[in-house]
Every structure is written in structure tokens, then in C-alpha cells.
Amino acid sequence: MPFKNISQSRKVASVEGEVRGASYNAKLDAVALLSWNPVQIAVIGRAGTGAKIHNITMGDVSDIVLLSRDMAIIQSSSETWQVLDLSHKPRVDPLGNDVRSLVGPQGEQALVLRWDNTADALTPGKNEIALRNFALRGDHRSIDLGENECYVVADGGEGEFRIHPGATPEQGSLAKVALPAGSKGFDRLRGSKFLSAAFKRGGNSVAIIRRAGNRVEPKLLHLEAQIADIVIQESSMIVVAKDGRAILYDSESLDKATSNAVPKAELSLGCSGEPKTAVGARGNIFVGTTTGEIYMAVLIRKAVMV
């Protein structure tokens, strides 16, 4: 059953600084949200319970991947750092530089896209995070990890969306398609089995890519909201708007849309700060704000008539 509505949101945690990054670990069934000034990591169960706040001694930070119970990866400008012994006394060590973006995890592997057109596959080791660097075929603009696949947008024209098997784009693509006109500036990607979205934070347009088997169909949509972040859950897209709303577009509304998409449902999150980042966790949406609030909303499926 597809998602058709969004429940009332609630605040599940607070950190002291601006929330800048978020990550969901399916194996742990927990999310991690990263704040700056000061740097803190909030780890919260998918149901919105058991929040734990960890203080980290770092400077500027921008994103996080929760790799395991005791290991996380933080992006700081163009560098990555490993956080070890997270659940006890966190310590931070350098991992790499020349970093463009950090995504994951898929199982126990994260992926780093670097500006030199290579990538790093990162996995938990015995005492530290193991790094494997590999070359990419073509220039890559953005990257994301799904449950069993890797999604990329390669440069060239407006961009080319590709689906690769596994947790890296090293194997040949299963499917690919050119993105529509107007997509060239989109530097963020959210990928999944049925639906993917390329966008730019602060903009009001998104290139969606719907999939049936290995047939992929792109479409550029204009939204009435300014995008803070986008979450994909199954065949639905949730736009977290800078004005504090969570806006749901289900598969039906995306299918009917030509250039302007009509939402299926929307909800005011009730936050005092501006939404900054969001992450999906099996039907739940976590949103971090500029004032350190962390909110959770639940997606509701269509009722079955009997």
C-alpha cells in the first residue's frame, strides 16, 4: 500500500547547534543527526525513542554516516573523519580529503565521492574504519546508496542518471537515462528502487526518475515550496520545505504531474527553527533544524476497504 498522508509531528530530541547532516542505519534501526557549533551527534531509535547525545570536539562539519553502533563518519568541508568508540568516549581521527559528498550506509558500507573523480568505500574494521579507494568511470556529480543498488548522476549535458548493482558504481549500469533540461545545477541525489530525485537545496525544482524494472523515466517538476531537503520512501517523495512543512507526493500525484506537481498531503512540522536536513527511516521522517530541534513525522498508508 502506498503512503497517502503524514501524521502530526513531534519533537524527539534537541541538540545545541544547527543540525547539518542525517543518516539512517537499517541494521541498527536508528538515525544519527549531526549538529555544528557545538558539534554533537544525536542517535535516536527509528520509533523516536532512546535519544542519546554525544559531544564531539571538531570544527566545521556538514554531514554524517552512522556506520555501526560505535563508528561514524563525519564530513567536514572537503575532509572526512572517523568517529570511534561513539557510544562510550568518542574520539575523532582523519580519514581522507578532497571530499565532495558522503552517503550511506548500505549494510555496513558507506561511500565517499571525491573531487578527483575517485571514490572511497568505507567499512568498519576491528579498531578503525577501513578505506578502499577506487577510480570512477566519467565525472560524477552526485551519488546515493539504496538497499541493494548505487545511484549516480554523471556529468555531461544536463546530467545522466545511472543505476548500478551493489554498493559502488564499479560494475556496469543496469539502467541509465539523460536528465531533463533544467537539471544541470542539481548537486544532490536521493535514490531508491522505485523512485529517485535530483535537486538543489534552496531551489524549487526537482528531477524525478521513476522506475519499472530496468526502464527509467525522468521528469522535471516545479514545486511551490523552497526545498530544504528531500526524502524518498518507496514510491513517494517527501519535500521538507524551508518554511517548515513536510509535503508528500505519492506515486499517483507524481504520475499525473506534467510540470507542476500537486501534493497528496502536507503537514506543518511546528518547528521554531528552519528545517535544514532530513532522513527517512522505514516510513518515519526525521528533520533537523537550524535551532537544534529534531522532529519526527510518520507516513500513513492508504486504508484498505473491505
Side-chain angles (χ1 to χ4, degrees):
M1 295 179 292
F3 295 114
K4 293 294 182 180
N5 209 340
I6 314 174
S7 77
Q8 186 63 43
S9 67
R10 63 185 177 95
K11 186 164 71 172
V12 293
S14 292
V15 289
E16 295 179 45
E18 176 182 272
V19 181
R20 290 191 164 184
S23 170
Y24 171 60
N25 186 302
K27 184 176 180 180
L28 300 178
D29 208 20
V31 298
L33 294 102
L34 175 72
S35 71
W36 168 78
N37 195 25
V39 178
Q40 294 179 316
I41 299 174
V43 180
I44 310 167
R46 182 178 62 88
T49 58
K52 295 181 179 179
I53 310 298
H54 306 280
N55 295 303
I56 307 294
T57 303
M58 287 188 68
D60 193 21
V61 295
S62 59
D63 212 347
I64 187 171
V65 162
L66 181 62
L67 201 57
S68 72
R69 192 173 303 278
D70 284 316
M71 295 182 178
I73 306 162
I74 290 178
Q75 181 180 349
S76 171
S77 184
S78 62
E79 298 174 309
T80 47
W81 303 78
Q82 58 182 335
V83 182
L84 307 174
D85 203 17
L86 174 62
S87 58
H88 298 95
K89 292 184 178 181
R91 69 180 192 274
V92 180
D93 293 324
L95 261 180
N97 51 28
D98 196 37
V99 173
R100 182 167 186 166
S101 62
L102 166 70
V103 296
Q106 183 185 114
E108 290 190 329
Q109 179 168 293
L111 208 57
V112 169
L113 178 61
R114 300 177 61 173
W115 287 101
D116 66 359
N117 205 38
T118 67
D120 297 332
L122 305 172
T123 54
K126 185 176 181 180
N127 298 310
E128 61 182 10
I129 293 174
L131 183 153
R132 179 179 66 86
N133 180 257
F134 59 91
L136 296 170
R137 288 177 285 187
D139 294 330
H140 286 51
R141 183 190 307 166
S142 54
I143 196 163
D144 197 19
L145 293 178
E147 290 185 5
N148 302 294
E149 295 172 327
C150 177
Y151 309 93
V152 305
V153 172
D155 272 332
E158 297 290 335
E160 183 179 69
F161 173 78
R162 301 174 184 171
I163 303 171
H164 298 267
T168 75
E170 293 174 277
Q171 298 187 59
S173 61
L174 299 172
K176 57 185 177 181
V177 67
L179 293 181
S183 306
K184 193 170 186 177
F186 297 164
D187 58 357
R188 292 186 176 270
L189 178 65
R190 300 288 182 261
S192 75
K193 182 177 180 180
F194 302 107
L195 175 69
S196 299
F199 65 101
K200 187 177 182 66
R201 282 178 170 169
N204 60 0
S205 296
V206 56
I208 64 166
I209 304 96
R210 293 175 299 161
R211 178 185 181 187
N214 287 331
R215 182 176 60 84
V216 285
E217 178 186 350
K219 183 189 297 187
L220 184 73
L221 298 179
H222 301 289
L223 312 176
E224 52 84 24
Q226 194 174 12
I227 301 168
D229 210 342
I230 285 178
V231 172
I232 300 295
Q233 293 284 272
E234 298 178 9
S235 60
S236 296
M237 177 176 73
I238 302 88
V239 175
V240 177
K242 292 174 74 68
D243 63 11
R245 289 178 294 157
I247 307 168
L248 171 67
Y249 300 86
D250 67 350
S251 56
E252 182 181 11
S253 59
L254 294 175
D255 181 61
K256 290 181 178 179
T258 53
S259 60
N260 297 298
V262 178
K264 182 66 178 181
E266 65 177 67
L267 171 74
S268 173
L269 295 168
C271 47
S272 59
E274 182 180 296
K276 186 74 174 181
T277 188
V279 65
R282 292 181 180 170
N284 293 345
I285 306 298
F286 290 80
V287 178
T289 71
T290 55
T291 52
E293 302 165 303
I294 299 172
Y295 279 80
M296 187 189 85
V298 179
L299 300 180
I300 301 172
R301 297 184 187 275
K302 184 178 180 180
V304 178
M305 304 299 293
V306 294

